[in-house]
Amino acid sequence: MENRVAVITGASRGLGRAIAIDLAAHATHVILAARDVASLDAVAQSIGAGAATVVAADVSDPAGMQALVDHAVGQFGRLDVFVNNAGVAPQSSVEQTTDQEWARVVDINLNAAFRSARALAPVYREAGSGRLINIASVFGLLGRSGFGAYGASKAGLINLSRVLAAEWAKFGAQVNVVAPGYISTDINAEIRENEAFMKRVVSRIPAKRMGEAHEVANLVRYLALDAPDFLTGQVIAIDGGESAS
């Protein structure tokens, strides 16, 4: 199907940027959403004229996700794919995590996905189709010291996605989860220069390397564009075997 329309949150860098570029290369107009408009403009330029639209969006704004869905449908008359990629991953023990930090992480990583789903449901119901891909993390499957708020938010996102898959299947929409492990992006470039850190990380990964952003983007594209309609409610870890060991 040509002329598909996809929204990607957190599209200004890292996985979001890679996902947007990959989808745009496969007959999809991408709506790039994030707070950093200058960075979004740079992503749009790398994609090429006419294939990307930039929208300033703050996923922590209670009205932001509804506005984003309304913008896409209003401008293009359709919305085929929504990728919830925006997120934060602060590190601190549960004991040291404040109420404010806990609320911030849950709001960005989980509440925003809930709000996007609430906005998407009537659109997908009317269309009789639609794909929602939520970007979680293997930390939502594993307990990892120092990531209580992050892990809890991603675990919540996984279960929310399963509920949505069960609710939406009757009107032809699919919801799936991609759970990346350690992925090399510009976001973690500095810490990847720490030899001790990299040795510790790689020692936990059976593949003995970090993943690459294009590998995650390839999986998201499959779920967004090519996966069968009967595939829904699934969590796919892309982590070099970390969650399996």
Side-chain angles (χ1 to χ4, degrees), residues 114-134:
F114 157 71
R115 292 173 184 134
S116 71
R118 187 172 58 189
L120 283 167
V123 176
Y124 284 178
R125 183 186 298 108
E126 182 177 353
S129 65
R131 302 281 172 101
L132 172 61
I133 298 97
N134 289 324

Side-chain angles (χ1 to χ4, degrees), residues 10 13-20 85 135 180 183 185-187 212-213 216-217:
R13 59 179 185 161
L15 292 181
R17 179 182 185 277
I19 291 166
N85 169 73
I135 307 300
I183 308 296
T185 68
D186 55 313
I187 298 170
E212 299 295 334
V216 177

Side-chain angles (χ1 to χ4, degrees), residues 82-140:
F82 198 103
V83 182
N84 275 311
N85 169 73
V88 291
Q91 185 172 2
S92 66
S93 70
V94 170
E95 181 181 6
Q96 295 172 329
T97 301
T98 65
D99 287 351
Q100 291 78 12
E101 182 66 357
W102 177 276
R104 184 180 78 93
V105 173
V106 171
D107 197 39
I108 294 172
N109 293 355
L110 179 56
N111 293 347
F114 157 71
R115 292 173 184 134
S116 71
R118 187 172 58 189
L120 283 167
V123 176
Y124 284 178
R125 183 186 298 108
E126 182 177 353
S129 65
R131 302 281 172 101
L132 172 61
I133 298 97
N134 289 324
I135 307 300
S137 167
V138 293
F139 284 14

Side-chain angles (χ1 to χ4, degrees), residues 140-231:
L141 302 170
L142 306 171
R144 185 71 77 219
S145 176
F147 291 93
Y150 179 70
S153 68
K154 293 300 188 179
L157 179 59
I158 288 169
N159 200 55
L160 172 63
S161 301
R162 288 171 169 152
V163 170
L164 291 169
E167 292 181 351
W168 291 9
K170 61 181 175 289
F171 54 80
Q174 293 77 46
V175 185
N176 289 293
V177 180
V178 172
Y182 284 100
I183 308 296
S184 299
T185 68
D186 55 313
I187 298 170
N188 56 37
E190 185 174 340
I191 61 175
R192 281 189 283 114
E193 295 178 0
N194 185 319
E195 186 175 342
F197 169 81
M198 286 300 296
K199 183 177 181 180
R200 185 169 65 253
V201 166
V202 170
S203 70
R204 294 197 294 254
I205 304 173
K208 299 305 176 187
R209 69 174 178 89
M210 293 177 73
E212 299 295 334
H214 71 83
E215 295 175 299
V216 177
N218 181 281
L219 174 57
V220 171
R221 185 228 312 158
Y222 171 73
L223 293 173
L225 307 182
D226 301 319
D229 291 346
F230 209 53
L231 177 62

Side-chain angles (χ1 to χ4, degrees), residues 17-101:
R17 179 182 185 277
I19 291 166
I21 291 172
D22 194 303
L23 287 174
H26 291 83
T28 303
H29 186 96
V30 291
I31 298 174
L32 313 174
R35 292 179 299 175
D36 186 350
V37 174
S39 294
L40 289 177
D41 285 338
V43 177
Q45 289 176 9
S46 69
I47 289 172
T53 299
V54 169
V55 178
D58 181 355
V59 301
S60 65
D61 178 359
M65 303 309 270
Q66 183 67 60
L68 188 54
V69 170
D70 290 346
H71 176 89
V73 175
Q75 181 170 355
F76 297 98
R78 64 186 300 166
L79 178 52
D80 305 285
V81 177
F82 198 103
V83 182
N84 275 311
N85 169 73
V88 291
Q91 185 172 2
S92 66
S93 70
V94 170
E95 181 181 6
Q96 295 172 329
T97 301
T98 65
D99 287 351
Q100 291 78 12
E101 182 66 357

